[in-house]
Structure formats: structure tokens, C-alpha cells
Coordinates of all heavy atoms in Angstrom, one line a residue:
M156 N -4.4 -36.2 -21.5 CA -5.4 -35.0 -21.2 C -4.9 -34.2 -20.0 O -4.5 -34.9 -19.1 CB -6.9 -35.7 -20.9 CG -7.8 -34.7 -20.5 SD -9.3 -35.3 -20.9 CE -10.0 -35.5 -19.3
T157 N -4.8 -33.0 -20.2 CA -4.3 -32.2 -19.1 C -5.4 -31.6 -18.3 O -6.4 -31.1 -19.0 CB -3.4 -31.0 -19.6 OG1 -3.4 -31.0 -21.0 CG2 -2.0 -31.2 -19.1
S158 N -5.3 -31.5 -17.1 CA -6.4 -30.9 -16.3 C -5.9 -29.5 -15.7 O -4.5 -29.5 -15.4 CB -7.0 -31.9 -15.2 OG -5.9 -31.9 -14.2
T159 N -6.7 -28.6 -15.5 CA -6.3 -27.4 -14.9 C -6.4 -27.4 -13.4 O -6.0 -26.5 -12.7 CB -7.0 -26.2 -15.4 OG1 -8.5 -26.4 -15.2 CG2 -6.8 -26.0 -16.9
Q160 N -7.0 -28.4 -12.9 CA -7.2 -28.6 -11.4 C -5.9 -29.3 -10.7 O -5.3 -30.1 -11.4 CB -8.4 -29.5 -11.0 CG -9.6 -29.1 -11.6 CD -10.1 -28.0 -10.8 OE1 -9.8 -27.7 -9.6 NE2 -11.1 -27.2 -11.4
P161 N -5.4 -28.6 -9.6 CA -4.1 -29.3 -9.0 C -4.6 -30.6 -8.3 O -5.7 -30.8 -8.0 CB -3.9 -28.2 -7.9 CG -5.2 -27.4 -7.7 CD -5.9 -27.5 -8.9
S162 N -3.7 -31.5 -8.5 CA -3.9 -32.8 -7.9 C -3.9 -32.7 -6.5 O -3.5 -31.8 -5.9 CB -2.9 -33.8 -8.5 OG -1.6 -33.5 -7.9
A163 N -4.4 -33.8 -5.8 CA -4.5 -33.8 -4.4 C -3.2 -33.9 -3.8 O -3.0 -33.4 -2.6 CB -5.3 -35.0 -3.9
S164 N -2.1 -34.4 -4.4 CA -0.8 -34.5 -3.9 C 0.0 -33.2 -3.9 O 1.0 -33.0 -3.2 CB 0.0 -35.6 -4.6 OG 0.2 -35.4 -6.0
S165 N -0.3 -32.4 -5.0 CA 0.5 -31.2 -5.2 C -0.2 -30.0 -4.5 O -1.5 -29.8 -4.7 CB 0.8 -30.8 -6.6 OG -0.5 -30.6 -7.2
P166 N 0.4 -29.2 -3.6 CA -0.2 -28.0 -3.1 C -0.5 -27.0 -4.0 O 0.1 -26.8 -5.0 CB 0.8 -27.6 -2.1 CG 2.1 -27.8 -2.6 CD 1.8 -29.2 -3.4
A167 N -1.6 -26.2 -3.8 CA -2.0 -25.2 -4.6 C -1.0 -24.0 -4.4 O -0.4 -23.8 -3.4 CB -3.5 -24.6 -4.1
P168 N -0.7 -23.3 -5.5 CA 0.3 -22.1 -5.3 C -0.4 -21.1 -4.5 O -1.6 -20.8 -4.3 CB 0.4 -21.5 -6.8 CG -0.7 -22.1 -7.4 CD -1.3 -23.4 -6.9
A169 N 0.6 -20.3 -3.7 CA 0.2 -19.3 -2.7 C -0.2 -18.2 -3.5 O 0.4 -17.7 -4.5 CB 1.4 -19.0 -1.9
P170 N -1.3 -17.4 -3.1 CA -1.8 -16.3 -3.7 C -0.7 -15.1 -3.6 O -0.1 -15.0 -2.6 CB -3.0 -16.0 -3.0 CG -3.0 -16.6 -1.7 CD -2.1 -17.8 -1.8
A171 N -0.6 -14.3 -4.6 CA 0.2 -13.1 -4.6 C -0.2 -12.1 -3.5 O -1.4 -12.0 -3.4 CB 0.3 -12.4 -5.9
P172 N 0.6 -11.5 -2.8 CA 0.3 -10.5 -1.9 C -0.6 -9.4 -2.5 O -0.1 -9.0 -3.6 CB 1.4 -10.2 -1.1 CG 2.7 -10.5 -2.0 CD 2.1 -11.6 -2.9
A173 N -1.4 -8.8 -1.9 CA -2.2 -7.7 -2.4 C -1.4 -6.4 -2.4 O -0.7 -6.2 -1.5 CB -3.5 -7.4 -1.6
P174 N -1.4 -5.6 -3.5 CA -0.5 -4.4 -3.4 C -1.1 -3.4 -2.5 O -2.3 -3.4 -2.1 CB -0.7 -3.8 -4.9 CG -1.9 -4.5 -5.4 CD -2.1 -5.8 -4.8
A175 N -0.2 -2.8 -1.8 CA -0.5 -1.7 -0.9 C -1.4 -0.6 -1.5 O -1.1 -0.2 -2.7 CB 0.6 -1.0 -0.3
P176 N -2.5 -0.1 -0.9 CA -3.2 0.8 -1.5 C -2.4 2.3 -1.6 O -1.7 2.6 -0.7 CB -4.4 1.1 -0.5 CG -3.9 0.5 0.8 CD -2.9 -0.5 0.4
E177 N -2.7 2.9 -2.7 CA -2.0 4.2 -2.9 C -2.6 5.2 -2.0 O -3.8 5.3 -1.6 CB -2.2 4.6 -4.4 CG -1.3 4.1 -5.3 CD 0.0 4.4 -5.2 OE1 0.4 5.6 -4.9 OE2 0.9 3.6 -5.2
R178 N -1.7 6.1 -1.3 CA -2.2 7.1 -0.6 C -1.5 8.4 -0.9 O -0.3 8.3 -1.5 CB -2.1 6.8 0.9 CG -0.7 6.7 1.4 CD -0.7 6.3 2.9 NE 0.6 6.3 3.5 CZ 1.0 5.7 4.4 NH1 0.0 5.0 5.1 NH2 2.2 5.8 4.9
S179 N -2.1 9.6 -0.7 CA -1.5 10.9 -1.1 C -0.3 11.1 -0.1 O 0.0 10.5 1.0 CB -2.5 11.8 -0.9 OG -2.9 12.2 0.4
V180 N 0.5 12.2 -0.5 CA 1.7 12.6 0.2 C 1.1 13.2 1.5 O 1.7 12.9 2.5 CB 2.4 13.6 -0.6 CG1 3.5 14.1 0.2 CG2 2.9 13.0 -1.9
L181 N 0.0 13.9 1.5 CA -0.6 14.3 2.8 C -0.7 13.2 3.8 O -0.6 13.4 5.0 CB -1.8 15.2 2.6 CG -2.6 15.8 3.7 CD1 -1.6 16.7 4.5 CD2 -3.9 16.4 3.4
M182 N -1.4 12.1 3.3 CA -1.6 11.0 4.1 C -0.3 10.4 4.6 O -0.3 9.9 5.7 CB -2.4 9.9 3.5 CG -3.9 10.4 3.4 SD -4.6 10.8 4.8 CE -4.7 9.3 5.8
D183 N 0.7 10.4 3.7 CA 2.0 9.9 4.2 C 2.5 10.7 5.4 O 3.2 10.3 6.2 CB 3.1 10.0 3.0 CG 2.9 8.8 2.0 OD1 2.2 7.9 2.4 OD2 3.4 9.0 0.9
L184 N 2.3 12.1 5.5 CA 2.7 12.9 6.5 C 2.0 12.6 7.8 O 2.6 12.7 8.9 CB 2.5 14.2 6.2 CG 3.4 15.1 5.0 CD1 2.8 16.4 4.7 CD2 4.8 14.9 5.2
M185 N 0.7 12.1 7.7 CA -0.2 12.0 8.9 C -0.2 10.5 9.3 O -0.7 10.3 10.4 CB -1.4 12.6 8.7 CG -1.4 14.0 8.5 SD -3.1 14.8 8.3 CE -3.8 13.9 7.1
A186 N 0.1 9.6 8.5 CA -0.2 8.2 8.9 C 0.8 7.6 9.9 O 1.9 8.1 10.1 CB 0.0 7.4 7.6
F187 N 0.3 6.6 10.6 CA 1.2 6.0 11.5 C 2.0 4.9 10.8 O 3.0 4.5 11.4 CB 0.2 5.2 12.6 CG -0.4 6.1 13.6 CD1 -1.7 6.3 13.6 CD2 0.5 6.9 14.4 CE1 -2.4 7.2 14.4 CE2 -0.1 7.7 15.4 CZ -1.5 8.0 15.3
T188 N 1.6 4.3 9.7 CA 2.3 3.3 9.0 C 3.3 4.0 8.1 O 3.2 5.0 7.7 CB 1.4 2.4 8.2 OG1 0.5 3.2 7.4 CG2 0.4 1.8 9.2
P189 N 4.3 3.3 7.6 CA 5.3 3.8 6.7 C 4.8 4.0 5.4 O 4.0 3.4 5.0 CB 6.5 2.7 6.8 CG 6.1 1.6 7.6 CD 4.7 2.0 8.2
S190 N 5.5 4.9 4.6 CA 5.2 5.1 3.3 C 5.5 4.0 2.3 O 6.4 3.1 2.8 CB 5.9 6.4 2.7 OG 5.6 7.5 3.5
A191 N 5.1 4.0 1.1 CA 5.3 2.9 0.3 C 6.8 3.0 -0.3 O 7.3 1.8 -0.6 CB 4.4 2.9 -1.0
T192 N 7.4 4.0 -0.3 CA 8.8 4.2 -0.9 C 9.7 4.9 0.2 O 9.1 5.7 0.9 CB 8.8 4.8 -2.3 OG1 8.4 6.2 -2.1 CG2 7.9 4.2 -3.3
L193 N 11.0 4.7 0.0 CA 11.9 5.4 0.9 C 11.8 6.9 0.7 O 12.0 7.6 1.5 CB 13.4 4.7 0.6 CG 14.5 5.4 1.4 CD1 14.1 5.2 2.9 CD2 15.8 4.8 1.2
G194 N 11.8 7.3 -0.6 CA 11.8 8.7 -1.0 C 10.7 9.5 -0.3 O 10.7 10.5 0.3
R195 N 9.4 8.8 -0.3 CA 8.2 9.3 0.3 C 8.3 9.4 1.8 O 7.9 10.4 2.5 CB 7.0 8.7 -0.2 CG 6.6 9.0 -1.6 CD 5.4 8.4 -2.1 NE 4.2 8.8 -1.5 CZ 3.1 8.9 -2.0 NH1 2.8 8.1 -3.2 NH2 2.0 9.4 -1.5
E196 N 8.9 8.5 2.4 CA 9.2 8.4 3.8 C 10.1 9.5 4.3 O 9.9 10.1 5.2 CB 9.7 7.0 4.2 CG 9.8 6.9 5.7 CD 8.5 6.8 6.5 OE1 7.5 6.5 5.8 OE2 8.5 7.3 7.6
L197 N 11.2 9.7 3.5 CA 12.3 10.7 3.9 C 11.5 12.1 3.7 O 11.8 13.1 4.4 CB 13.4 10.6 3.0 CG 14.4 9.4 3.4 CD1 15.5 9.3 2.4 CD2 14.8 9.4 4.8
L198 N 10.7 12.2 2.6 CA 9.9 13.5 2.5 C 9.0 13.7 3.7 O 9.0 14.9 4.2 CB 9.1 13.5 1.1 CG 8.3 14.7 0.9 CD1 9.0 15.9 0.6 CD2 7.2 14.4 -0.1
A199 N 8.4 12.7 4.1 CA 7.5 12.8 5.4 C 8.3 13.2 6.6 O 7.9 14.1 7.2 CB 6.8 11.5 5.6
L200 N 9.4 12.7 6.7 CA 10.3 12.9 7.9 C 10.7 14.3 7.8 O 10.6 15.1 8.8 CB 11.5 12.0 7.8 CG 12.4 12.0 9.1 CD1 13.0 10.7 9.3 CD2 13.5 12.9 8.8
I201 N 11.2 14.9 6.7 CA 11.8 16.2 6.6 C 10.5 17.1 6.8 O 10.6 18.2 7.4 CB 12.4 16.5 5.2 CG1 13.7 15.7 5.4 CG2 12.7 17.9 4.9 CD1 14.4 15.5 3.9
A202 N 9.3 17.0 6.1 CA 8.2 17.8 6.3 C 7.8 17.9 7.7 O 7.3 19.0 8.2 CB 7.1 17.3 5.3
N203 N 7.7 16.8 8.4 CA 7.3 16.8 9.8 C 8.1 17.5 10.7 O 7.6 18.3 11.5 CB 7.1 15.4 10.3 CG 5.6 14.7 9.9 OD1 4.7 15.4 9.7 ND2 5.7 13.5 9.6
V204 N 9.4 17.3 10.5 CA 10.3 18.2 11.3 C 10.3 19.6 11.0 O 10.3 20.6 11.9 CB 11.8 17.6 11.1 CG1 12.7 18.5 11.8 CG2 11.9 16.2 11.7
A205 N 10.1 20.1 9.7 CA 10.0 21.4 9.3 C 8.5 22.0 9.9 O 8.6 23.2 10.3 CB 9.8 21.4 7.7
L206 N 7.5 21.1 9.9 CA 6.3 21.7 10.5 C 6.5 22.0 12.0 O 5.9 22.9 12.5 CB 5.1 20.7 10.3 CG 4.6 20.6 8.9 CD1 3.5 19.5 8.8 CD2 3.9 21.9 8.5
I207 N 7.2 21.1 12.7 CA 7.4 21.4 14.1 C 8.3 22.5 14.3 O 8.1 23.5 15.2 CB 8.1 20.1 14.8 CG1 7.3 19.0 14.9 CG2 8.7 20.4 16.1 CD1 6.0 19.2 15.7
G208 N 9.3 22.8 13.4 CA 10.2 24.1 13.5 C 9.3 25.2 13.2 O 9.5 26.3 13.9
L209 N 8.4 25.2 12.2 CA 7.4 26.4 12.1 C 6.7 26.5 13.3 O 6.4 27.8 13.6 CB 6.6 26.0 10.8 CG 5.8 27.1 10.4 CD1 6.5 28.4 10.0 CD2 4.8 26.6 9.2
L210 N 6.1 25.5 13.9 CA 5.3 25.7 15.1 C 6.1 26.3 16.2 O 5.5 27.2 16.9 CB 4.7 24.3 15.6 CG 3.8 24.3 16.7 CD1 2.5 25.0 16.3 CD2 3.6 22.8 17.2
V211 N 7.3 25.9 16.3 CA 8.1 26.6 17.3 C 8.3 28.1 17.0 O 8.3 28.8 18.0 CB 9.5 25.7 17.4 CG1 10.7 26.4 18.2 CG2 9.3 24.3 18.0
L212 N 8.7 28.4 15.8 CA 8.9 29.8 15.4 C 7.5 30.6 15.8 O 7.7 31.7 16.1 CB 9.2 29.9 14.0 CG 10.6 29.5 13.5 CD1 10.8 29.6 12.1 CD2 11.6 30.4 14.3
V213 N 6.5 30.0 15.5 CA 5.1 30.7 15.8 C 4.9 31.0 17.2 O 4.5 32.1 17.7 CB 3.9 30.0 15.0 CG1 2.6 30.8 15.2 CG2 4.2 30.2 13.5
I214 N 4.9 29.9 18.0 CA 4.4 30.0 19.4 C 5.5 30.2 20.4 O 5.3 30.5 21.5 CB 3.6 28.7 19.8 CG1 4.4 27.3 19.8 CG2 2.4 28.6 18.9 CD1 3.7 26.2 20.3
Q215 N 6.8 29.9 19.9 CA 8.0 30.2 20.8 C 7.8 29.7 22.2 O 7.8 30.4 23.2 CB 8.1 31.7 20.9 CG 8.6 32.3 19.4 CD 8.8 33.7 19.5 OE1 8.7 34.5 20.5 NE2 9.4 34.3 18.4
P216 N 7.7 28.3 22.3 CA 7.6 27.7 23.6 C 9.0 27.7 24.3 O 10.0 28.1 23.8 CB 7.1 26.3 23.4 CG 7.8 26.0 22.0 CD 7.7 27.3 21.3
E217 N 8.9 27.4 25.5 CA 10.2 27.2 26.2 C 11.1 26.1 25.6 O 10.7 25.3 24.9 CB 9.8 26.6 27.7 CG 9.0 27.5 28.5 CD 9.8 28.8 29.0 OE1 11.0 28.7 29.1 OE2 9.1 29.9 29.0
P218 N 12.4 26.2 25.8 CA 13.3 25.3 25.2 C 13.2 23.8 25.5 O 13.2 22.9 24.7 CB 14.7 25.8 25.6 CG 14.5 27.1 26.0 CD 13.1 27.4 26.5
L219 N 12.6 23.5 26.7 CA 12.4 22.2 27.1 C 11.2 21.6 26.4 O 11.2 20.4 25.8 CB 12.2 22.1 28.6 CG 11.8 20.7 29.1 CD1 12.9 19.9 28.9 CD2 11.3 20.7 30.6
V220 N 10.2 22.4 26.1 CA 9.0 22.0 25.4 C 9.5 21.8 23.8 O 9.0 20.8 23.3 CB 7.9 23.0 25.4 CG1 6.8 22.7 24.7 CG2 7.4 23.2 26.9
T221 N 10.2 22.7 23.3 CA 10.7 22.5 22.0 C 11.5 21.2 21.9 O 11.4 20.5 20.9 CB 11.7 23.6 21.7 OG1 10.9 24.9 21.8 CG2 12.2 23.6 20.3
A222 N 12.4 20.9 22.8 CA 13.2 19.6 22.7 C 12.3 18.5 22.9 O 12.4 17.5 22.2 CB 14.2 19.7 24.0
V223 N 11.3 18.5 23.6 CA 10.3 17.4 23.8 C 9.6 17.2 22.6 O 9.4 16.0 22.1 CB 9.4 17.5 25.1 CG1 8.3 16.5 25.0 CG2 10.2 17.4 26.4
M224 N 9.0 18.2 21.9 CA 8.4 18.1 20.7 C 9.2 17.5 19.5 O 8.8 16.6 18.9 CB 7.7 19.5 20.2 CG 6.6 20.0 21.1 SD 5.7 21.4 20.5 CE 7.0 22.5 19.8
L225 N 10.4 18.1 19.4 CA 11.3 17.5 18.4 C 11.8 16.1 18.6 O 11.8 15.3 17.8 CB 12.5 18.4 18.3 CG 12.3 19.7 17.5 CD1 13.6 20.6 17.5 CD2 11.9 19.5 16.0
G226 N 11.9 15.7 19.9 CA 12.3 14.4 20.3 C 11.1 13.4 20.0 O 11.4 12.3 19.5
V227 N 9.9 13.7 20.4 CA 8.8 12.9 20.2 C 8.6 12.7 18.6 O 8.5 11.5 18.2 CB 7.5 13.4 20.8 CG1 6.4 12.6 20.2 CG2 7.6 13.3 22.4
V228 N 8.6 13.7 18.0 CA 8.4 13.5 16.4 C 9.6 12.8 15.8 O 9.4 11.8 14.9 CB 8.2 14.9 15.7 CG1 8.3 14.9 14.2 CG2 7.0 15.5 16.2
G229 N 10.8 13.1 16.3 CA 12.0 12.4 15.6 C 11.9 10.9 16.1 O 12.3 10.1 15.2
L230 N 11.6 10.6 17.2 CA 11.5 9.1 17.5 C 10.5 8.4 16.9 O 10.6 7.2 16.3 CB 11.2 9.0 19.1 CG 11.1 7.6 19.8 CD1 12.4 7.0 19.6 CD2 10.6 7.6 21.2
F231 N 9.3 9.1 16.7 CA 8.2 8.5 16.0 C 8.6 8.3 14.5 O 8.4 7.2 14.0 CB 7.0 9.3 16.0 CG 5.8 8.9 15.2 CD1 5.1 7.7 15.5 CD2 5.5 9.6 14.0 CE1 4.1 7.2 14.7 CE2 4.4 9.1 13.1 CZ 3.7 7.9 13.6
M232 N 9.2 9.3 13.9 CA 9.6 9.1 12.4 C 10.7 8.2 12.3 O 10.7 7.4 11.3 CB 10.0 10.5 11.8 CG 8.8 11.5 11.7 SD 7.4 10.9 10.9 CE 8.1 10.8 9.2
G233 N 11.5 8.0 13.3 CA 12.7 7.0 13.3 C 12.2 5.7 13.3 O 12.6 4.8 12.6
V234 N 11.2 5.4 14.2 CA 10.5 4.1 14.2 C 9.8 3.8 13.0 O 9.9 2.5 12.5 CB 9.5 4.0 15.5 CG1 8.7 2.8 15.5 CG2 10.3 4.1 16.8
R235 N 9.1 4.6 12.4 CA 8.4 4.4 11.1 C 9.5 4.1 10.0 O 9.1 3.3 9.2 CB 7.8 5.8 10.7 CG 6.3 5.8 10.9 CD 5.6 7.0 10.3 NE 5.8 7.3 8.9 CZ 5.1 8.0 8.2 NH1 4.1 8.7 8.7 NH2 5.2 8.3 6.9
L236 N 10.6 4.7 10.0 CA 11.6 4.4 9.1 C 12.2 3.0 9.2 O 12.3 2.3 8.2 CB 12.8 5.5 9.2 CG 13.8 5.5 8.1 CD1 13.2 5.8 6.7 CD2 14.9 6.4 8.4
V237 N 12.5 2.6 10.4 CA 12.9 1.2 10.7 C 11.8 0.2 10.3 O 12.1 -0.8 9.7 CB 13.3 1.1 12.2 CG1 13.5 -0.4 12.5 CG2 14.6 1.9 12.6
V238 N 10.6 0.5 10.6 CA 9.4 -0.4 10.2 C 9.4 -0.5 8.7 O 9.2 -1.6 8.2 CB 8.2 0.0 10.9 CG1 7.0 -0.8 10.3 CG2 8.2 -0.2 12.4
G239 N 9.5 0.6 8.1 CA 9.5 0.6 6.6 C 10.7 -0.2 6.0 O 10.5 -0.9 5.0
F240 N 11.9 -0.1 6.5 CA 13.0 -1.0 6.1 C 12.7 -2.5 6.3 O 13.0 -3.4 5.4 CB 14.2 -0.6 6.9 CG 15.1 0.4 6.1 CD1 15.2 1.6 6.6 CD2 16.0 0.1 5.0 CE1 15.9 2.7 6.0 CE2 16.7 1.0 4.3 CZ 16.6 2.3 4.9
R241 N 12.0 -2.8 7.4 CA 11.6 -4.2 7.6 C 10.4 -4.6 6.8 O 10.4 -5.9 6.4 CB 11.4 -4.4 9.1 CG 12.6 -4.1 9.9 CD 12.7 -4.8 11.2 NE 12.2 -6.1 11.2 CZ 12.9 -7.2 11.5 NH1 14.1 -7.1 11.5 NH2 12.2 -8.3 11.5
T242 N 9.5 -3.9 6.6 CA 8.2 -4.3 6.0 C 8.1 -3.9 4.5 O 7.4 -4.7 3.7 CB 7.0 -3.8 6.8 OG1 7.0 -2.4 6.7 CG2 7.0 -4.4 8.1
Q243 N 8.5 -2.7 4.1 CA 8.3 -2.2 2.8 C 9.5 -2.4 1.9 O 9.4 -2.2 0.6 CB 7.9 -0.6 2.9 CG 6.8 -0.2 3.6 CD 5.6 -0.7 3.1 OE1 5.4 -0.7 1.7 NE2 4.5 -0.9 3.8
G244 N 10.6 -3.0 2.3 CA 11.8 -3.2 1.5 C 12.5 -1.9 1.0 O 12.9 -2.0 -0.1
Y245 N 12.7 -1.1 1.9 CA 13.4 0.2 1.6 C 14.7 -0.1 1.1 O 15.4 0.6 0.3 CB 13.5 1.3 2.7 CG 12.2 1.8 3.1 CD1 12.0 2.6 4.2 CD2 10.9 1.8 2.1 CE1 10.8 3.1 4.5 CE2 9.8 2.6 2.5 CZ 9.7 3.0 3.8 OH 8.5 3.7 4.1
A246 N 15.4 -1.2 1.5 CA 16.8 -1.6 1.2 C 16.9 -1.8 -0.2 O 18.0 -1.5 -0.9 CB 17.3 -2.7 2.1
R247 N 15.8 -2.4 -0.8 CA 15.9 -2.6 -2.3 C 16.0 -1.3 -3.1 O 16.8 -1.2 -4.1 CB 14.6 -3.3 -2.8 CG 14.5 -4.7 -2.5 CD 13.4 -5.3 -3.2 NE 12.1 -4.6 -3.1 CZ 11.3 -4.7 -2.2 NH1 11.2 -5.8 -1.3 NH2 10.1 -3.9 -2.3
D248 N 15.4 -0.2 -2.5 CA 15.6 1.2 -3.1 C 17.0 1.6 -3.1 O 17.5 2.2 -4.1 CB 14.7 2.1 -2.5 CG 13.2 1.9 -2.6 OD1 12.9 1.1 -3.6 OD2 12.5 2.4 -1.9
L249 N 17.7 1.3 -2.1 CA 19.1 1.7 -1.9 C 20.0 1.0 -2.9 O 21.0 1.5 -3.2 CB 19.6 1.6 -0.5 CG 18.9 2.5 0.5 CD1 19.2 2.1 1.9 CD2 19.0 3.9 0.3
T250 N 19.8 -0.3 -3.1 CA 20.8 -1.0 -3.9 C 20.2 -1.1 -5.4 O 21.0 -1.7 -6.2 CB 20.5 -2.5 -3.4 OG1 19.3 -3.0 -3.5 CG2 21.2 -2.7 -2.1
G251 N 19.2 -0.3 -5.7 CA 18.8 -0.3 -7.1 C 17.8 -1.4 -7.6 O 17.5 -1.5 -8.8
G252 N 17.4 -2.3 -6.7 CA 16.6 -3.4 -7.0 C 15.2 -3.0 -7.3 O 14.7 -1.9 -6.8
R253 N 14.4 -3.7 -8.1 CA 13.1 -3.2 -8.4 C 12.1 -4.3 -7.8 O 12.2 -5.4 -7.9 CB 12.8 -3.1 -9.9 CG 13.8 -2.0 -10.4 CD 13.1 -1.2 -11.3 NE 13.9 -0.2 -11.7 CZ 13.8 1.0 -11.4 NH1 13.0 1.6 -10.7 NH2 14.6 2.0 -11.8

């Protein structure tokens, strides 16, 4: 007779991790956490830098202010990209793994 209950000597299998909730591209642009895929993260990086560029064209701040704005956004997006490689598995996307 087979039982479906695990015996006391064998550990129960670990539950599968919950999938990340889907979020829109707009939320990928504004979120503090990395996107689900490398492509969406790169899209967010390019879009954020383009938005800062547009803001610079419209308000025409001093060059130092422009450099600080681009530096802050670039640093933030770079950290998001590194965190995404560590937690979201972006390296699998580069090697063709699924």
C-alpha cells in the first residue's frame, strides 16, 4: 500500500518559488526593483536616459546640473541592472537558456 504522506524520515519537498507579478512597461520605467527580463530592463534604461535628455532640452539647466542628473540616473539604472543579473537571471537570457 502506498501512501501520499511523506514519512517522518524523508523531508518534504521545497515549495516552488512564486512567479514574479507581471507589471507594465510604465512600471518598469518607474520601479526601484529590476524588470523581469533583460530586454525590458534595457528598454527602461534607454527610456529613462532619453527622458532626462528631453528634460535637459526643455529646461536647459547649467551643465553641472545636467551632469548630476545624468550621473544619478545612470548610477541608479546601473545598480538596477547589476541587481537584475544577480536576482532575475539576466545571464540566462544572454546564453539562450530558458
Side-chain angles (χ1 to χ4, degrees):
M156 175 157 119
T157 10
S158 72
T159 58
Q160 299 287 338
S162 65
S164 62
S165 66
E177 281 292 316
R178 64 183 189 201
S179 67
V180 175
L181 180 61
M182 287 305 298
D183 282 342
L184 294 176
M185 298 186 305
F187 288 111
T188 57
S190 301
T192 64
L193 178 60
R195 287 178 74 156
E196 185 66 28
L197 292 176
L198 175 69
L200 187 144
I201 291 168
N203 278 324
V204 171
L206 286 173
I207 292 297
L209 184 65
L210 183 67
V211 165
L212 285 175
V213 170
I214 63 172
Q215 298 180 350
E217 295 293 323
L219 179 62
V220 174
T221 302
V223 168
M224 286 190 322
L225 285 172
V227 167
V228 169
L230 180 66
F231 174 71
M232 294 305 291
V234 168
R235 254 182 64 162
L236 189 63
V237 169
V238 169
F240 269 101
R241 299 210 26 119
T242 62
Q243 300 291 331
Y245 292 165
R247 283 191 316 266
D248 294 345
L249 294 175
T250 59
R253 301 223 179 248

